Amino acid sequence: MNNDLLFKKLAKIAIPSPRPKPSEQDLLDFEQKNQVSLPKDFREFLLRWGGLLTVDKYGKNGDSSLIYSYTCKKFAEICCVIDCTITFKGMVEDYNQYNLPDFCLPFIEIDVGTIFIYLKPNANGGIYYIQNCFDGVSQEEAVLVGNCEPSEACDLFDPANNVIPYYFTKLGDSFTDFILQLLFIDGENFEDVYNECFDAGKSLDISRLIQHELPENYSSHN
């Protein structure tokens, strides 16, 4: 896997977390305690960046967002807005204790759910999202989740055997794959496009979004 591609993308859409980075020993201790291996790209991200922070005041409007656009509307959402990642300390504290399936390391929290990396051996480090708020969902979706409690869905979750309950959405085959799909965009334009697409029941039309790229060596103090 080419991690250069990962860090080139990261540098264009976000800045490193200002919080303390984990050490190599911190990562080894987590792996040994839980008998898992962090994927190489995610490991390098933690060591070099510690986490990411969104730049929310960029561009001529001074309004910018970092988003992941879903391929279709699900749980009344067509995208999620990302502010920052959890600290590694927070990830470790929440591992196997955050109403998630086993082997799931949460690294982003949003208003209505959690994004995590799946660390089960031989599962290839896929990135998934679990919904935990169901306000405004369609009647059909209410039936789907009503027939399966969240705890039962977590017990059933088994991507290796293509068992992914409706509560979950796969966002990427790897951490790099997930990051490459993120869009750093103008906030005002995003709001207009989002509202129009949402009201029409369509996926977010990313071709209409104004996308930004941070200049080289950008910092939030620029």
Side-chain angles (χ1 to χ4, degrees):
M1 183 177 294
N2 184 355
N3 288 346
D4 288 343
L5 189 62
L6 167 63
F7 288 100
K8 285 179 181 178
K9 173 70 174 186
L10 282 168
K12 293 177 180 179
I13 63 171
I15 58 175
S17 171
R19 297 175 179 177
K21 301 181 183 70
S23 66
E24 180 69 36
Q25 191 60 52
D26 291 332
L27 304 188
L28 288 172
D29 288 346
F30 170 77
E31 291 176 320
Q32 291 171 1
K33 178 181 178 180
N34 296 284
Q35 294 298 293
V36 296
S37 295
L38 294 168
K40 291 181 180 179
D41 57 348
F42 190 64
R43 182 189 203 88
E44 189 173 351
F45 165 72
L46 292 172
L47 291 172
R48 288 175 58 175
W49 273 48
L52 68 77
L53 182 65
T54 297
V55 177
D56 59 4
K57 292 180 173 61
Y58 186 78
K60 67 178 183 179
N61 295 320
D63 182 7
S64 51
S65 298
L66 184 65
I67 68 164
Y68 180 97
S69 177
Y70 301 136
T71 55
C72 60
K73 190 174 183 179
K74 186 174 181 180
F75 291 128
E77 291 296 337
I78 55 177
C79 70
C80 67
V81 178
I82 295 169
D83 294 322
C84 63
T85 50
I86 306 169
T87 63
F88 183 67
K89 180 180 178 181
M91 296 179 200
V92 172
E93 290 174 349
D94 290 340
Y95 183 72
N96 284 344
Q97 298 185 36
Y98 200 73
N99 298 320
L100 293 173
D102 292 340
F103 300 105
C104 296
L105 184 67
F107 65 94
I108 293 175
E109 295 178 23
I110 59 177
D111 290 341
V112 293
T114 302
I115 297 173
F116 62 87
I117 186 166
Y118 191 50
L119 299 179
K120 187 172 182 178
N122 302 316
N124 300 318
I127 307 298
Y128 296 86
Y129 165 73
I130 182 171
Q131 183 88 5
N132 58 28
C133 178
F134 306 100
D135 296 340
V137 301
S138 68
Q139 186 174 3
E140 292 81 5
E141 287 180 317
V143 171
L144 284 171
V145 297
N147 289 333
C148 180
E149 292 295 321
S151 59
E152 182 183 356
C154 288
D155 291 340
L156 292 171
F157 183 76
D158 184 9
N161 290 305
N162 295 315
V163 180
I164 304 176
Y166 195 78
Y167 287 89
F168 299 88
T169 302
K170 186 172 185 179
L171 304 184
D173 292 327
S174 66
F175 181 68
T176 296
D177 183 33
F178 168 71
I179 293 296
L180 293 178
Q181 295 179 71
L182 298 184
L183 305 174
F184 180 48
I185 57 173
D186 179 87
E188 290 187 11
N189 162 254
F190 166 63
E191 185 174 357
D192 291 339
V193 175
Y194 174 92
N195 288 336
E196 184 177 325
C197 293
F198 183 88
D199 290 343
K202 298 179 180 178
S203 300
L204 187 65
D205 186 353
I206 61 175
S207 68
R208 295 173 54 197
L209 298 175
I210 298 173
Q211 297 192 42
H212 295 310
E213 285 189 2
L214 295 173
E216 190 173 355
N217 300 319
Y218 179 86
S219 79
S220 60
H221 302 294
N222 286 2

